[in-house]
Amino acid sequence: MNISSLRGALLAAFACILVGASFTANSVLGDYPYAGGQALRYGLAALLLVLLLARGERSRPAAVLRTVTRRQWGRLALLAAIGMVGFNLAVLGAERSAEPAVPGVFVGCAPIFVAVLAPLMDRRRPTRTVLCAAALVAAGAFVVQGWGRTDLAGILCSVGALAGEVGFAVIAVPVLRPLGPKLLSATVCGLAAAESACLGLVLDGSEALRTPTGAEAIALLWQAAVVTVIGFVCWYMGMQRIGAERATLFSGLIPVSAALTAPLVDAGSYGVAQVGGSLLVGLGVALGSGVLSRSAATGRTDPVPGAPSAAGVENDARHPRRIVVHRHMTAAGKPDQPRVGDGVLGPDPLPAQQYPVPAAPGRRR
């Protein structure tokens, strides 16, 4: 694992830990109107991200947005609707007829689906190592959360939550490079705020918004400023470095983080099952991210199969992420070594292959 991949892994892990810790804030917002709360959260996050873009970006965000095509705008609206508004609505619906562990188990299976869908979008085969790691992460998430009481409605809503979690990673892949993590986060937050406001007017009418209590205001501010602004930017920065399938492996840290923070508000306990599940999640993340690979053990920086690399890359407009990775490149300052199947060049008898060439017309030697 090279430095770029390590940074990407740390960013993705940090983002998922923030999301897991936000479940405590979700419990405080149980009585607040759902759609109105999401509109406030994403609207405030979009405002903060715009201020962040105005201070830190060299290129003008408005100029970049003018280059976005209609198809890309449709993808951004779909990302906000499925991966953000729809995901939260599905989780809320599932928890009304099922115990919270049920949607958590379904969402924990997201790494398996992303490990299959993301490579297919790049027109390449899924990586066996990432698939095995995703299975370990899903199993660990199940052990951490367990299984609870549910019915058909709870299962259907949990499937919707799974679709939202997968869509949050997969749908964003083609628009991540042209927009970048910060502008992408700001754009989808603005769209999600508008979609949530429209949904609130349809479902709750004039009761879609109300003045939050002190605890609700703190929870909304935490979700907007920390979970959404910092979490989304870190997530997409990590995904930009290590790819969607490897970044989604770290979503297994969400139930682990939730289980660790639950005892702080007397909302659960961290026992033997949670410890065992956390170890399974850690093993899956380490295996899929390349920490346990032979190159990491020997100190080499060869890229993990199927993963992006910072070494030997060049732009290619035909590639979805505009990057082509050239593997088996010799590091700077080190002699090239022949590999299996390579023909070793020997001395070439050049004098025996030299023939006199007549002078060109009109020229004298």
Side-chain angles (χ1 to χ4, degrees), residues 153-179:
I155 292 177
L156 292 178
C157 289
S158 298
V159 172
L162 170 61
E165 180 70 15
V166 174
F168 188 67
V170 174
I171 299 176
V173 170
V175 291
L176 177 57
R177 179 175 176 82
L179 296 182

Side-chain angles (χ1 to χ4, degrees), residues 19 62 100 119 121 125 139 141 157 169 210 214 225 227 235 243 254 280 302 306 314:
V19 173
M121 290 178 61
R125 294 181 179 181
C157 289
R210 65 170 175 83
V227 179
W235 169 256
I254 294 176
L280 280 177
D302 293 341
E314 66 179 11

Side-chain angles (χ1 to χ4, degrees), residues 15 24 33 43 75 101 124 134 140 148 151 158 182 207 227 244 264 266 300 305 351:
T24 303
R75 181 177 290 273
R124 54 184 174 86
D151 55 10
S158 298
K182 295 179 182 178
E207 298 180 355
V227 179
L264 300 178
D266 295 330
R300 295 173 56 188

Side-chain angles (χ1 to χ4, degrees), residues 26 35 67 124 133 142 170 201 211 234 269 302 306 315 328 346 359:
N26 292 339
T67 64
R124 54 184 174 86
F142 174 79
V170 174
L201 291 175
T211 304
C234 289
S269 60
D302 293 341
N315 292 335
H328 303 306

